[in-house]
Structures are given as structure tokens and as C-alpha cells.
Amino acid sequence: MEAKAETRPSRKGIILQEAARLFREKGYRASTLRELARRSGVKGGSIYYHFASKQEILYRIMDETMNNLLQGLEHEIREEQDPVHRLNRGIEFHIRYHLENQDETHVADTELINLGDDHRRRIVGKRAEYERTFSGILEEGTREGVMGVGNTKLASIAVLQMCTGIPYWFNEEGPLSVDEVVAQYIDFVFWGVLGRAGRRESI
Amino acid sequence: MEAKAETRPSRKGIILQEAARLFREKGYRASTLRELARRSGVKGGSIYYHFASKQEILYRIMDETMNNLLQGLEHEIREEQDPVHRLNRGIEFHIRYHLENQDETHVADTELINLGDDHRRRIVGKRAEYERTFSGILEEGTREGVMGVGNTKLASIAVLQMCTGIPYWFNEEGPLSVDEVVAQYIDFVFWGVLGRAGRRESI
DNA sequence: GTCTATAACTAGATAGAC
DNA sequence: GTCTATCTAGTTATAGAC
């Protein structure tokens, strides 16, 4: 029912998009509905025709983001069998989605604290599910002997945490392209700081 | 002049400590000075005898944290020459400091957005300095050939980001000790998910 | 140094016209 | 579906007594 992230012609969609941008710029609590209304091209009261509360707007942004991540990841790794390739594609998807939807993912990653208990539990559940997909890959790879991870749960959290942080410093006009960032991070995740020296295999 | 983090007998110190805890729990914007006063054992107005504004309290927490990190890191790696050992000790210090000062570091890591321009610039400057120490180590190690990092600036950011995130999921009552977390993360940073299989050297 | 009282303001949310 | 107008509550910060 909801349109894709790219083209949201409806007023409701515009408000969500502007809300993500505003919340990212100032933080949820510091953002006012008056400012959101102004940016969305309506007056303050009109927001409440589309949403029951400010809180609901935040939840919609975060929930849609998590759904996109879960479905996108699943779709991306579905056909791959080899754990190394699955991890490779999973990380690439994660980074690209975060760089292509910076406002929404930033909000989803930082505003958990401002959700009510019920909403927060639902988002946390989806995050846990997303993370389990990655730890499952690391587990499988380690069991098969193509990876060597001591604690797969820890490592999967570490991988996601570092990739999630990319939009914080990435600059479109900077020297690095998205492709290069993806390549560097994947390289680092697989090989660590010691690098390829002395390894017998390559990916 | 300021006492150590552990024992802060002065009222001012108590307020700072409670503020870090409160800001971490609810976020800076959602925290009220009335609540902070209550937790600190004083009435609302009394806060202003010690601090000029709510903003100043936030800045003090973040600035003190950055100073501790900078000095602590410097002290920790001063005597080490080998880049591998320097990185090892640097990461261990970073993780331990974050786990031993969770309230303050969490605030320092998440509330940048709520600082005024001037204050924010100063904190960002110190963060950059801290990060440069790590990228410098990676650069040196790569130049010497004991490490193999493609982009040292990227890798240092990645390392810090994943370690900084540890307090988000770490649980004192959980199955993992601080020592184990440190060991796992250092292992992952050095060797990546592919692990030790096929490597000729060890650290 | 800490208190009480309050000023000055701002935000989320609602009601009802159009 | 959007507007104007407003209610209500809560916030930072200040003033002055003790």
C-alpha cells in the first residue's frame, strides 16, 4: 500500500520524508511539529489529519526502515549458498541501504530512546531478527571452516555497528565513492587490520 | 582540580554524575532539570548556583569524557613502540573506558547534536584528535608491513565505531566478562571474520 | 548554598470553520 | 483535507528570602 522510498507523492509521504530529514538534523525531541508542517507545506494542525501523534510519525519511519532492511537483506542473500558470498552481499546491501536512505536509517539508529515501550519493543525485535541473519551466516561459515570467528554474535554486532556508522562521516562530495567504501569495509571485515599478508586463500 | 570519576563528593560532582545517568536514560532533551535536581538531592533552582545552563552541564560531561579519553590513550600507548602492540593497548583502553564509564561515554557519543555550535566544534575537534591517534598507528603498521590496511582513516573509524557500541548491548550480568569482550574484539579487529586459518604469524 | 515562587515561553494536541 | 485559533501542560531560567 505504501509507495517506495523514492517517490512519495502523497502528502502523508511528504510529511514522513520531511520528518526523517528534520529528525535527523535536530533530533526527534528538538524537532517541532510546527517546523515539520512548514517544511511539508501545510499548517501545524493539518499534521493531525494524517497522524495521531508526533510519536506515531517517528514509529512509522523506524518501522518502515526496519521492514525494508529485513526484506532487502533476505532478497539479497536468498540465492547465495556460500557463507562468504552471503556475508559479502549482506554487508554490501547494508551499507548501500544506509547510504541511500541516510535520513531514515539515522533516525532508526538513534531515536529508539524516544519510542514508547510498546513501539520500542517491536523495533528492537526486528533489529534482533536482522542481526540474527548475520550471526547465522558467521556461524555457518565458522562451522564449515571457511571463517574463524570466536563469538559469532559479538562479531555480527560489531560488523553491523561499524557499517551503520558510515553515514555519520560519509560525504557525497568527498574523495571516496560508495563503491570504494563498500570495498574497503568488506575487505576490513574479512581480513582485519593485519590484512592479506600470509593468507593462503582469497575471496 | 576535578576529582576522579569514581568519587565525586561535591554537590557539583554529584549533579554531573546524575546528569550523565539521566541523560543516558532519557536523552538530553527529554531530561528535565527538575528531575535532575530531585536525583541530586536538591531543588530545581539550586542547579543554577553550580551551572549557568542545562547546556553547560551537557558540555562539561562531554568535555571531561573526551579529555579522559585523550589523556588515557596517550598514557596507555606511550611506552609501546610496535604498532601492533600500540593498537592492541589502544583498543583495550578504549573498550574498558567505555565499559567503566558507560553513562558519560554514551552521552558523549550520542548528544553531540544537542550542543551549540561553539561547544560542538570543540568536542568534534577532540574526537578527531583521538581518532587520528588510531589512524596514525594503522598507518605506521601498514608502512612497516606488519599490517595490511587499505584505507587507514576508514579502518580507524570502523574500529572505534564498533568498540564504542559495546555498552549498548553489554550486560554486567550477562555471560561475557569484560576481559572476554576485549579479547574477542581485539581478535576480530586484527584477524577479521576469516580468522587465523592460514596465517603464518601471531600476535 | 539552597530554598520557594514565578516569569516567560514553547510544544503537542484539539475544535470547528471552510 | 487544510485552515485558524486556542487550550493545556510543562520547561528553562531568574529573583529574592533564608
Side-chain angles (χ1 to χ4, degrees):
Chain A
M1 201 101 255
E2 204 74 46
K4 284 297 280 277
E6 247 63 73
T7 53
R8 257 204 264 254
S10 69
R11 179 119 290 167
K12 193 171 176 174
I14 290 170
I15 294 172
L16 280 174
Q17 198 172 306
E18 291 297 329
R21 209 161 62 87
L22 180 60
F23 292 171
R24 186 196 178 187
E25 273 177 38
K26 310 204 172 183
Y28 172 75
R29 288 269 175 175
S31 301
T32 70
L33 290 182
R34 285 174 174 82
E35 168 82 351
L36 173 57
R38 200 187 55 72
R39 293 192 185 199
S40 305
V42 293
K43 299 295 175 183
S46 306
I47 301 271
Y48 288 90
Y49 175 78
H50 301 284
F51 300 95
S53 64
K54 187 185 179 188
Q55 170 92 195
E56 196 204 320
I57 299 175
L58 177 61
Y59 176 67
R60 293 265 184 216
I61 294 170
M62 297 179 76
D63 192 52
E64 195 187 339
T65 299
M66 285 316 304
N67 290 342
N68 290 346
L69 282 171
L70 281 167
Q71 288 171 25
L73 177 64
E74 178 57 28
H75 175 266
E76 195 67 32
I77 66 175
R78 191 199 306 267
E79 61 247 39
E80 292 287 356
Q81 302 296 328
D82 175 40
V84 171
H85 288 131
R86 280 165 70 85
L87 181 60
N88 206 317
R89 294 192 66 162
I91 292 172
E92 174 157 7
F93 165 76
H94 185 79
I95 294 177
R96 285 192 192 280
Y97 190 86
H98 274 70
L99 284 177
E100 286 162 9
N101 304 273
Q102 296 193 28
D103 295 334
E104 290 80 2
T105 52
H106 183 99
V107 170
D109 287 325
T110 56
E111 300 292 0
L112 253 186
I113 198 173
N114 287 312
L115 283 180
D117 287 350
D118 217 54
H119 283 158
R120 189 171 58 248
R121 261 191 291 273
R122 264 178 271 183
I123 300 296
V124 167
K126 292 188 179 181
R127 281 168 76 124
E129 189 186 339
Y130 187 72
E131 180 203 305
R132 267 196 303 274
T133 306
F134 280 93
S135 65
I137 295 173
L138 296 187
E139 220 166 298
E140 205 188 332
T142 302
R143 203 170 41 228
E144 292 183 12
V146 293
M147 295 177 186
V149 176
N151 186 318
T152 53
K153 193 160 171 45
L154 233 81
S156 67
I157 293 175
V159 169
L160 291 179
Q161 201 113 44
M162 77 171 107
C163 295
T164 299
I166 293 176
Y168 284 79
W169 55 262
F170 184 77
N171 180 1
E172 312 265 2
E173 274 88 38
L176 286 170
S177 71
V178 173
D179 286 351
E180 286 171 314
V181 172
V182 169
Q184 284 291 330
Y185 267 72
I186 286 177
D187 195 71
F188 176 67
V189 168
F190 277 103
W191 301 92
V193 298
L194 294 181
R196 287 181 148 86
R199 303 299 289 248
R200 61 166 179 250
E201 59 201 333
S202 79
I203 50 176
Chain B
M1 200 110 259
E2 204 73 46
K4 284 297 280 276
E6 247 63 73
T7 52
R8 256 204 264 256
S10 69
R11 179 117 291 166
K12 192 170 177 176
I14 290 170
I15 293 172
L16 280 174
Q17 197 172 308
E18 292 296 329
R21 209 161 63 87
L22 180 61
F23 292 170
R24 185 197 179 186
E25 272 177 40
K26 310 204 171 181
Y28 172 75
R29 288 269 175 175
S31 301
T32 69
L33 290 181
R34 283 176 177 81
E35 170 80 354
L36 174 57
R38 200 187 54 73
R39 294 193 185 199
S40 305
V42 293
K43 300 294 176 184
S46 306
I47 301 272
Y48 288 90
Y49 174 78
H50 301 284
F51 301 95
S53 65
K54 187 185 178 188
Q55 171 90 198
E56 195 204 319
I57 299 176
L58 178 61
Y59 176 68
R60 295 265 183 216
I61 293 170
M62 298 179 74
D63 192 52
E64 193 185 342
T65 299
M66 285 316 305
N67 290 343
N68 290 345
L69 281 171
L70 281 167
Q71 287 170 25
L73 178 62
E74 178 58 27
H75 175 266
E76 196 67 31
I77 66 176
R78 191 199 306 266
E79 60 248 38
E80 291 288 357
Q81 302 297 328
D82 176 38
V84 170
H85 288 131
R86 280 164 70 84
L87 181 61
N88 207 318
R89 294 191 65 162
I91 292 172
E92 174 157 6
F93 165 75
H94 185 79
I95 294 177
R96 284 193 194 279
Y97 190 86
H98 274 70
L99 284 177
E100 286 162 9
N101 304 274
Q102 295 194 28
D103 295 333
E104 290 80 3
T105 52
H106 184 99
V107 170
D109 286 326
T110 56
E111 300 292 0
L112 252 186
I113 199 173
N114 287 312
L115 283 180
D117 287 350
D118 217 55
H119 283 158
R120 190 171 58 248
R121 262 191 292 274
R122 262 177 272 183
I123 300 296
V124 167
K126 292 188 178 181
R127 281 167 76 123
E129 188 186 339
Y130 187 72
E131 181 203 304
R132 266 197 304 276
T133 305
F134 280 93
S135 64
I137 295 173
L138 295 187
E139 219 165 299
E140 205 188 330
T142 301
R143 201 169 44 229
E144 291 183 13
V146 293
M147 296 176 184
V149 176
N151 186 317
T152 52
K153 193 161 168 47
L154 233 81
S156 68
I157 293 174
V159 169
L160 291 179
Q161 201 112 43
M162 77 172 108
C163 295
T164 300
I166 294 175
Y168 284 80
W169 56 262
F170 184 77
N171 181 0
E172 314 265 2
E173 275 88 36
L176 287 170
S177 70
V178 173
D179 286 352
E180 285 170 315
V181 172
V182 168
Q184 284 291 330
Y185 266 74
I186 286 177
D187 196 71
F188 177 67
V189 167
F190 277 103
W191 300 92
V193 298
L194 295 181
R196 288 181 146 85
R199 300 299 287 248
R200 63 167 176 250
E201 58 201 334
S202 79
I203 47 177

